[in-house]
C-alpha cells in the first residue's frame, strides 16, 4: 500500500490540507509522557519546596497554553477551536508522568494539540526544577488514544 503525502501538492510543495468539506465531528485525543529526576528534586516538587514555586500548577497552565498555540508552533497544523484541554500528573517512583487531553468539534483531529500540551507541560516541569536537577530526562511522549473523525477510534497498545 503506497500512501500519498497529504501535505504536499502535485509539485512537491508543502501546503495545508483543505478540511473545508469534512464534516465537523467530536474529536478527542490523549497524549502522555514522563520526566525522570533525582529523589531530591521529586521530593521538593512533591513537598511544594521547589525554588520557583508551584511546579505542577505552572506546568498545567503551560500545557494548556501550549495546546492553544499548536498551530503557531507546528507548520501546517490547522488552528482549532478547542473545547477542552486538561493536563494531569501522576507521581512515579523516579519522576512525574503527564497526561494531556484535548477535545474539539471540528473537521480535523486534536492529536497534535494533546501532544503539544504534554510536551510543553514536561518542558515546564524541567524548567521549574532545573535548579534541583539538571540531569532530568524528558521522554516517552506519545499519543495514547484518539477518537472521532473518519479513521475512528484508536488506542495505543
Amino acid at each position: 500500500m503506497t500512501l500519498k503525502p497529504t501535505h504536499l501538492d502535485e509539485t512537491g510543495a508543502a501546503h495545508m490540507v483543505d478540511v473545508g468539506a469534512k464534516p465537523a465531528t467530536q474529536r478527542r485525543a490523549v497524549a502522555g509522557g514522563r520526566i525522570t529526576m533525582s529523589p531530591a528534586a521529586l521530593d521538593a516538587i512533591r513537598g511544594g519546596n521547589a525554588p520557583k514555586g508551584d511546579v505542577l500548577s505552572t506546568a498545567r497552565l503551560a500545557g494548556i497554553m501550549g495546546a492553544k498555540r499548536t498551530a503557531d508552533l507546528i507548520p501546517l497544523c490547522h488552528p482549532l477551536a478547542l473545547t477542552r484541554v486538561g493536563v494531569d500528573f501522576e507521581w512515579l517512583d523516579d519522576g512525574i508522568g503527564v497526561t494531556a487531553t484535548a477535545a474539539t468539534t471540528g473537521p480535523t483531529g486534536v492529536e497534535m494539540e494533546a501532544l503539544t500540551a504534554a510536551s510543553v507541560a514536561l518542558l515546564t516541569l524541567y524548567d521549574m526544577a532545573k535548579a534541583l536537577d539538571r540531569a532530568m530526562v524528558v521522554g516517552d511522549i506519545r499519543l495514547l488514544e484518539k477518537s472521532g473523525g473518519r479513521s475512528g477510534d484508536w488506542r495505543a497498545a
Side-chain angles (χ1 to χ4, degrees), residues 45 48 50-67 85-89 91 96 98 116-130:
I45 294 170
K52 289 190 175 183
D54 187 348
V55 174
L56 297 183
S57 291
T58 304
R60 177 176 284 113
L61 287 173
I64 293 167
M65 292 171 66
V85 178
V87 177
D88 296 307
F89 303 100
W91 297 109
I96 301 170
V98 172
T116 300
S119 300
V120 171
L122 287 161
L123 291 171
T124 302
L125 290 173
Y126 184 94
D127 182 54
M128 294 290 290
K130 67 186 175 204

Side-chain angles (χ1 to χ4, degrees), residues 25-123:
T25 62
Q26 289 186 344
R27 296 162 183 269
R28 180 177 171 274
V30 180
R34 59 183 288 135
I35 184 168
T36 57
M37 62 187 68
S38 68
L42 187 59
D43 289 344
I45 294 170
R46 188 177 282 168
N49 300 316
K52 289 190 175 183
D54 187 348
V55 174
L56 297 183
S57 291
T58 304
R60 177 176 284 113
L61 287 173
I64 293 167
M65 292 171 66
K68 292 168 60 173
R69 299 295 301 264
T70 299
D72 294 332
L73 300 169
I74 309 296
L76 308 179
C77 275
H78 291 84
L80 301 179
L82 296 171
T83 57
R84 178 177 188 275
V85 178
V87 177
D88 296 307
F89 303 100
E90 175 186 3
W91 297 109
L92 306 173
D93 291 339
D94 61 349
I96 301 170
V98 172
T99 304
T101 304
T104 192
T105 300
T108 190
V110 289
E111 294 91 342
M112 293 309 301
E113 287 72 14
L115 286 161
T116 300
S119 300
V120 171
L122 287 161
L123 291 171

